[in-house]
């Protein structure tokens, strides 16, 4: 096996050989991302209902596997807000958050989702992700961001009550931990300002470290405050979640599908930016394999499903990362924290972790998206709005929003295919062929119906073309010539061949001619194999529309009846 063929499956073999100049730039880019990974990993573990240390586990081995086996080497792989929310919401009601059963189910979600992605990548099924359109993804993302904000408000403001109902029934300042609120809101303000004025600065680790030091100085943990607490140090041990009961498997099917879809769409949004910068073709199938292996490794570490973070990937690019070496430096920093520095996280208030999550997801909230979409396509805006509303309404089973959005989008696509644009053309004064009825143009020739269908001639559009021709011929018995301007027709299937044969037979029975203009080679080959393009009196073919116009304008005038 040659090195080139081996590098197809092991993309890290194509990395450039490191030198001093390259490693210097990669080191600082990796440090920048690594300083974000630790606080975000811990915060997203809390969002997923997992033990906090699993967020660091998910930032270590899965990130290493992803960078070694993915074609996009500059992505910030690890825990993300959307994937963590989906995991936490999907497991609600199936187990107690943070319990051994909860961890086992989350690990199974990572294993199943990773296996599905890996199989899709090996089978070259990356094109299936094109079924998810921008309106569906935007509607889901906006709703998920609001749900994340709602889930973090209690921790951010130090609300002691189990839910907001107690606050609404008996509002009282005593329901809040004012020190926790101060830590959370103060950290949120600092993180927002840093994102606005210092976007490349690793503000998260600085704010978390400063908050932990202040919490220790004030004795916040000793006073009963909600802090991160003790985290185990050392590398994660191999983990197997045990057998998965059928009832649990059936409950995880839809969440796994949605996690697989959403996590790879997150990866796609980051990978496309990277491919544009590097001017290289994006290999979505290899990234599916790499992301799938990363999820599998995360599940085998007792952690939860990972994805590519758009914010961390963007910072990695802005910091000057050029290869996967930057990710290796970031992973090294996470390893140092996991081995020796986890006690430093003990005094960090949990409200500060909530501030980290809120800061990350506010960039996902874009209220003007649906309004801009409404001006472009009202149907797609409605699809996005329904996805948004159902995602909110069906929480924590948020996958119903995505599922209904996909079904609506596919139904809209099928409706458009079943109702193609078919126009009767006329010659415009500027020499172009346009819609005869829209521009009020005369027919191209007497006793002629000249049609152009802007679609493929297949099972979806063939009946519409046949119906249009049949209705016109029934209403105009004098028409004996049918011209199909075939330039827009790129493909024909068996149903299209049968429809073509019926149209040809119909014109021959009327004593007329079927004229074909601009027939493309793939369509022509299929029709010739079917024996429908042989020389016959009722068939005329022209290579260009100009040639067809000359011939059609020479058709004989109708003989007036006595």
């Amino acid at each position: 096996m040659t090195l080139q063929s081996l590098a197809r499956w092991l993309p890290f073999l194509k990395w450039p050989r490191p030198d001093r100049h390259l490693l210097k730039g990669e080191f600082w880019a990796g440090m920048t991302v690594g300083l974000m990974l630790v606080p975000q990993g811990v915060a997203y573990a809390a969002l997923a209902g997992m033990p906090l240390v699993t967020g660091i586990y998910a930032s270590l081995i899965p990130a290493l596997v992803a960078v070694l086996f993915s074609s996009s080497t500059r992505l910030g792989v690890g825990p993300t807000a959307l994937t963590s929310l989906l995991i936490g919401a999907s497991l609600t009601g199936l187990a107690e958050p943070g319990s051994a059963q909860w961890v086992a189910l989350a690990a199974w979600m990572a294993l199943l989702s990773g296996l599905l992605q890996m199989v899709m990548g090996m089978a070259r099924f990356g094109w299936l992700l094109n079924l998810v359109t921008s309106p569906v993804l935007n509607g889901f993302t906006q709703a998920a961001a609001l749900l994340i904000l709602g889930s973090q408000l209690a921790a951010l403001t130090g609300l002691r009550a189990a839910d907001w109902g107690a606050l609404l029934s008996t509002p009282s300042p005593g329901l809040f931990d004012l020190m926790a609120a101060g830590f959370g809101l103060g950290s949120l303000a600092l993180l927002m300002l840093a994102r606005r004025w210092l976007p490349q600065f690793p503000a998260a680790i600085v704010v978390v470290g400063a908050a932990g030091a202040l919490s220790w100085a004030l004795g916040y943990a000793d006073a009963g405050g909600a802090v991160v607490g003790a985290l185990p140090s050392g590398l994660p041990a191999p983990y197997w979640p045990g057998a998965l009961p059928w009832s649990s498997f059936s409950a995880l099917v839809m969440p796994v599908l949605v996690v697989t879809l959403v996590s790879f769409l997150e990866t796609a949004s980051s990978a496309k930016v990277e491919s544009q910068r590097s001017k290289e073709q994006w290999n979505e199938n290899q990234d599916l394999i790499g992301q799938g292996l990363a999820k599998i490794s995360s599940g085998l570490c007792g952690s939860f499903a990972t994805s590519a973070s758009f914010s961390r990937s963007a910072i990695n690019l802005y910091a000057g990362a050029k290869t996967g070496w930057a990710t290796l430096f970031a992973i090294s920093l996470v390893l140092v924290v996991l081995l020796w520095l986890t006690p430093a996280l003990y005094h960090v208030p949990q409200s500060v972790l909530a501030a980290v999550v809120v800061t990350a997801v506010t960039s996902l909230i874009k209220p003007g998206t649906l309004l801009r979409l409404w001006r472009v396509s009202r149907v797609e805006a409605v699809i996005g709005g329904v996805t948004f509303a159902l995602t909110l309404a069906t929480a924590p089973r948020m996958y119903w929003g995505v599922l209904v959005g996909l079904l609506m989008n596919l139904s809209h696509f099928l409706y458009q295919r079943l109702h193609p644009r078919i126009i009767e053309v006329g010659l415009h004064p500027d020499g172009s062929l346009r819609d005869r009825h829209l521009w009020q143009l005369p027919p191209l020739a007497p006793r002629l119906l000249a049609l152009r269908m802007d679609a493929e001639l297949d099972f979806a559009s063939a009946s519409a073309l046949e119906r249009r021709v049949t209705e016109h011929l029934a209403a105009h018995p004098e028409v004996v010539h049918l011209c199909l301007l075939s330039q827009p027709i790129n493909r024909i299937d068996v149903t299209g061949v049968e429809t073509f044969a019926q149209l040809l037979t119909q014109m021959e029975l009327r004593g007329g001619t079927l004229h074909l203009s601009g027939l493309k080679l793939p369509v022509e080959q299929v029709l010739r194999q079917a024996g429908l393009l042989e020389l016959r009196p009722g068939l005329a073919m022209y290579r260009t529309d100009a040639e067809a116009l000359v011939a059609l304008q020479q058709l004989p005038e109708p003989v007036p009846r006595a």
Side-chain angles (χ1 to χ4, degrees):
M1 181 179 292
T2 63
L3 181 62
Q4 184 177 2
S5 60
L6 187 62
R8 176 185 175 187
W9 300 101
L10 305 174
F12 61 88
L13 295 178
K14 296 187 293 185
W15 289 8
R17 182 171 297 178
D19 53 33
R20 182 178 179 182
H21 177 72
L22 175 65
L23 289 181
K24 181 180 178 181
E26 299 296 274
F27 173 80
W28 290 114
M31 290 299 101
T32 303
V33 175
L35 290 172
M36 294 182 62
L37 264 174
V38 175
Q40 285 193 350
V42 175
Y44 293 153
L47 181 61
M50 295 287 288
L52 300 185
V53 73
T54 60
I56 305 180
Y57 293 165
S59 306
L60 186 64
I61 295 179
L64 177 62
V65 172
V67 75
L68 292 178
F69 292 95
S70 298
S71 63
S72 304
T73 58
R74 295 182 290 175
L75 302 186
V77 177
T80 62
L82 276 180
T83 304
S84 300
L85 174 68
L86 283 169
I87 294 168
S90 302
L91 298 182
T92 300
L94 300 179
E96 184 69 22
S99 64
Q101 185 182 4
W102 182 284
V103 173
L105 291 175
W108 269 115
M109 287 187 68
L111 292 172
L112 294 174
S113 177
L115 183 62
L116 180 58
Q117 282 192 339
M118 188 179 68
V119 171
M120 288 177 62
M122 296 180 69
R124 299 292 185 246
F125 278 1
W127 56 269
L128 284 173
L129 299 172
N130 296 327
L131 296 176
V132 183
T133 59
S134 178
V136 174
L137 181 60
N138 282 331
F140 173 78
T141 303
Q142 304 295 313
L146 291 179
L147 290 173
I148 293 174
L149 287 179
S151 68
Q152 298 300 301
L153 283 180
L156 181 69
T157 58
L159 181 65
R160 291 193 175 98
D163 53 45
W164 292 94
L167 179 63
L168 295 176
S169 60
T170 56
S172 171
L175 294 175
F176 291 93
D177 183 344
L178 298 182
M179 188 170 290
F183 275 119
L185 297 177
S187 300
L188 179 62
L190 291 175
L191 291 171
M192 289 290 191
L193 290 174
R195 190 177 69 180
R196 176 68 175 85
W197 300 107
L198 298 170
Q200 298 182 28
F201 181 71
I205 193 66
V206 174
V207 170
V208 168
L214 183 59
S215 170
W216 171 77
L218 296 175
Y220 178 61
D222 297 333
V227 296
V228 170
L231 296 178
S233 59
L235 293 174
Y239 176 82
W240 178 249
L244 183 65
W246 175 254
S247 59
S248 299
F249 175 78
S250 59
L252 293 181
V253 169
M254 283 303 302
V256 164
L257 292 176
V258 175
V259 166
T260 301
L261 178 66
V262 171
S263 67
F264 194 68
L265 288 175
E266 287 184 304
T267 302
S269 63
S270 303
K272 289 178 180 178
V273 174
E274 181 192 358
S275 63
Q276 291 171 359
R277 287 176 174 268
S278 62
K279 298 181 180 178
E280 295 180 358
Q281 182 67 32
W282 177 45
N283 187 348
E284 68 272 16
N285 293 307
Q286 187 60 44
D287 275 354
L288 270 171
I289 295 174
Q291 294 292 325
L293 290 173
K295 286 182 173 62
I296 292 173
S297 66
S298 185
L300 295 177
C301 292
S303 188
F304 52 97
T306 57
S307 184
S309 167
F310 187 81
S311 60
R312 292 196 299 268
S313 301
I315 289 177
N316 199 27
L317 293 174
Y318 292 150
K322 293 181 173 58
T323 66
W325 292 104
T327 301
L328 293 184
F329 284 119
I331 295 170
S332 301
L333 180 59
V334 175
L335 179 61
V336 170
V337 172
L338 189 58
L339 292 178
W340 296 291
L341 300 180
T342 50
L345 297 173
Y346 181 93
H347 291 279
V348 175
Q350 292 189 8
S351 59
V352 176
L353 299 182
V356 173
V357 175
V358 170
T359 305
V361 301
T362 49
S363 60
L364 300 176
I365 301 177
K366 300 174 182 178
T369 301
L370 290 178
L371 295 178
R372 289 192 298 270
L373 186 60
W374 180 264
R375 293 194 291 266
V376 177
S377 172
R378 295 188 176 184
V379 174
E380 292 188 273
V382 170
I383 293 174
V386 170
T387 303
F388 173 83
L390 279 180
T391 303
L392 289 177
T394 58
R397 303 292 181 255
M398 299 181 300
Y399 48 79
W400 289 111
V402 176
L403 179 62
V404 172
L406 285 174
L407 291 177
M408 291 181 65
N409 185 70
L410 291 175
S411 300
H412 175 56
F413 173 76
L414 185 59
Y415 177 84
Q416 289 181 316
R417 290 295 309 275
L418 291 171
H419 299 80
R421 182 172 182 260
I422 304 175
I423 62 171
E424 182 180 356
V425 300
L427 184 61
H428 194 270
D430 64 3
S432 62
L433 295 174
R434 302 192 184 184
D435 190 332
R436 187 173 82 81
H437 300 287
L438 178 64
W439 293 92
Q440 298 180 355
L441 303 173
L444 291 180
R447 300 189 298 174
L448 169 71
L449 172 62
L451 295 180
R452 186 184 74 208
M453 183 176 70
D454 298 330
E456 298 174 347
L457 186 54
D458 57 10
F459 69 96
S461 60
S463 61
L465 177 62
E466 183 182 6
R467 182 169 57 252
R468 175 66 182 273
V469 172
T470 302
E471 291 177 353
H472 187 90
L473 295 180
H476 302 84
E478 74 281 2
V479 173
V480 293
H481 295 282
L482 171 63
C483 179
L484 294 181
L485 302 174
S486 309
Q487 189 73 22
I489 301 176
N490 299 315
R491 190 182 68 87
I492 188 171
D493 65 358
V494 174
T495 306
V497 170
E498 294 175 352
T499 300
F500 180 88
Q502 292 172 1
L503 294 179
L504 181 59
T505 302
Q506 195 170 4
M507 297 312 300
E508 288 179 338
L509 291 176
R510 295 174 72 95
T513 305
L514 174 60
H515 304 264
L516 292 178
S517 172
L519 195 64
K520 290 186 175 178
L521 183 59
V523 180
E524 181 180 348
Q525 289 176 336
V526 174
L527 291 176
R528 286 196 183 280
Q529 291 172 359
L532 295 175
L533 296 185
E534 299 175 353
L535 292 177
R536 55 206 303 172
L539 179 65
M541 296 178 61
Y542 315 97
R543 282 298 173 194
T544 65
D545 290 346
E547 182 184 346
L549 278 176
V550 173
L552 293 175
Q553 290 173 352
Q554 295 176 357
L555 292 176
E557 295 287 339
V559 178
R561 295 183 179 181

